[in-house]
Amino acid sequence: MNDVLRKVEELKALVVELEALDRQRVGLGDRLVDLEHFFRRAGCPELSQQALDAFMVTYAGRVFELADGMRG
């Protein structure tokens, strides 16, 4: 029973940590989108594309990769 209680506490701590990481991840995504918009409006298409690529490949792509892993 002690093992189960320790694992329950581990799960609770992990959920708290995951929620904090998720808030940070969302904030990073917002910043990438803001930068993409800024560079597009500033007439810097290469930089706009770089920010968009970072968002689509690294940020959103990883989310999709994780979702695929959860289905399997």
Side-chain angles (χ1 to χ4, degrees), residues 7-21:
K7 291 297 182 181
V8 166
E9 291 305 313
E10 182 180 345
L11 176 60
K12 287 179 183 177
L14 191 57
V15 168
V16 168
E17 186 178 348
L18 184 58
E19 289 169 346
L21 285 171

Side-chain angles (χ1 to χ4, degrees), residues 4-47:
V4 171
L5 293 176
R6 275 195 300 274
K7 291 297 182 181
V8 166
E9 291 305 313
E10 182 180 345
L11 176 60
K12 287 179 183 177
L14 191 57
V15 168
V16 168
E17 186 178 348
L18 184 58
E19 289 169 346
L21 285 171
D22 187 57
R23 284 189 298 276
Q24 182 181 9
R25 183 190 61 79
V26 169
L28 290 171
D30 286 344
R31 290 170 57 196
L32 282 169
V33 169
D34 287 345
L35 285 169
E36 189 279 327
H37 288 197
F38 173 82
F39 289 131
R40 186 165 19 101
R41 286 191 310 265
C44 303
E46 298 87 6
L47 293 170

